[in-house]
Amino acid sequence: MNKKIIIIAILAVFGGAGLAVWATSNPFTWTNGLVGYWPFDGQYTTSTAGTTDVSGNGGWGTFTNGVGVTGGISGQAAKIDGVDDYVSVADKDSLDWTGGGWSVEAWVFISGVSTDWVHLIDKGNSNYWLDLSGGASAGKEIAFYTSIGGNWSSGYVPLPNNEWHHVVGVGDDTAKTLKIYLDGRLGTPAGSYTGSPSANTGALVFGALAGARYANGMLDEIRMYNRVLSADEVMQHYQQTRRRVGI
C-alpha cells in the first residue's frame, strides 16, 4: 500500500512538471495568428520553381532569376546572389498590415555588404519591410520599417555578416511602435509612428525590393503573424530553434 502511494505521488510530481515544461514552450505561440510560413525545406520546395507556404494560406513563393536552395539554419534555405535573385509571393489581403499588430520573423545569413539599401522582406515597398542600411554603414545594420506619409523605422541594430541570425520586426498599431529584435533581444528602443498602415497591391518579396536592392546570402524559416509577438515569444522562438538545431 505504501509503495502504491509513493508511486502515485511520484507520477503526480513528474506529470505536473511535464505540464509546466510544455506550458513554457507552448506550440500555440508558433501558430496563433500565423498568416504565412516559408521553411524552404525539400518537401515544400522545388529547386527552380518555388516554395510552398505551409501555414495553409496559399502564399506560393515563386523563385525568380535563379534563386537556389542550400542547407539552412533548419533543413534548407533560399540562397540569393545579391545580383537579381528574389522570391515573390502574390499579393493577398491576409499579407497586408492594416492595423492591430504585425510581426515578421526570419533567420538570415548575409554574405556581404552593399553600398545601397537592401531589402530582406518587403511588402510593396510601403506596408512593411526589413531593411539593411545603405551608405557608410551599408549592409551592417537592420531595421523594421513602414511607410505612412513618409518612412518610419524601428531604429537600426548591427547585423554581423557571414553567420546566421534570428531577426523579428514587430509593428503595434495600438501603441504606435516599431521594434526590431536580433537573436531574441530587443535591438534598440522602440521607434514610433503616426497614422495607421494601409494595404497595398504589391507582392511580398524575399531578398529584394522587386527589381532592385538585392540581398546576398540566405533566408530561412520566414514567418508572418497578424499580431504582436511579445518579447518572451520572440526569445522562445529563438532559443527553441537554437536548441533544436544544436547551435
Side-chain angles (χ1 to χ4, degrees):
M1 180 65 69
N2 289 340
K3 289 182 179 179
K4 290 181 180 179
I5 293 172
I6 292 171
I7 290 171
I8 291 170
I10 290 173
L11 288 173
V13 169
F14 280 92
L19 290 172
V21 169
W22 184 89
T24 60
S25 57
N26 189 346
F28 184 61
T29 71
W30 294 84
T31 58
N32 180 22
L34 185 69
V35 294
Y37 173 30
W38 298 267
F40 300 102
D41 291 340
Q43 65 270 43
Y44 310 120
T45 302
T46 66
S47 59
T48 58
T51 191
T52 299
D53 167 15
V54 302
S55 73
N57 291 311
W60 171 261
T62 300
F63 289 174
T64 303
N65 296 330
V67 173
V69 178
T70 188
I73 190 68
S74 176
Q76 293 182 169
K79 182 174 175 57
I80 46 183
D81 64 6
V83 177
D84 60 1
D85 293 356
Y86 62 93
V87 182
S88 181
V89 180
D91 177 51
K92 295 170 66 70
D93 289 346
S94 61
L95 296 175
D96 284 315
W97 177 28
T98 57
W102 196 263
S103 301
V104 178
E105 176 178 10
W107 283 85
V108 304
F109 186 109
I110 301 303
S111 297
V113 298
S114 170
T115 57
D116 196 3
W117 305 94
V118 170
H119 287 212
L120 297 180
I121 297 173
D122 180 286
K123 180 60 172 71
N125 195 31
S126 63
N127 194 223
Y128 54 86
W129 65 96
L130 283 172
D131 180 89
L132 287 176
S133 60
S137 59
K140 299 177 183 178
E141 297 178 319
I142 190 168
F144 185 55
Y145 269 88
T146 189
S147 181
I148 308 167
N151 294 339
W152 303 86
S153 165
S154 63
Y156 282 91
V157 60
L159 178 69
N161 290 333
N162 299 311
E163 56 192 37
W164 283 105
H165 292 280
H166 183 244
V167 175
V168 182
V170 178
D172 185 340
D173 198 45
T174 301
K176 302 295 182 184
T177 58
L178 298 167
K179 296 180 180 180
I180 186 76
Y181 293 86
L182 181 68
D183 295 336
R185 293 176 173 82
L186 184 63
T188 64
S192 61
Y193 65 93
T194 59
S196 290
S198 58
N200 62 39
T201 58
L204 175 64
V205 177
F206 307 147
L209 163 64
R213 299 183 178 178
Y214 300 100
N216 181 12
M218 294 176 283
L219 300 172
D220 201 2
E221 296 293 315
I222 296 176
R223 291 178 171 89
M224 303 281 169
Y225 294 88
N226 61 5
R227 67 180 183 89
V228 170
L229 285 180
S230 70
D232 286 346
E233 288 176 311
V234 171
M235 179 61 78
Q236 182 186 116
H237 288 196
Y238 168 63
Q239 293 287 10
Q240 285 186 13
T241 301
R242 287 185 68 231
R243 287 195 295 267
R244 178 163 51 84
V245 302
I247 61 171

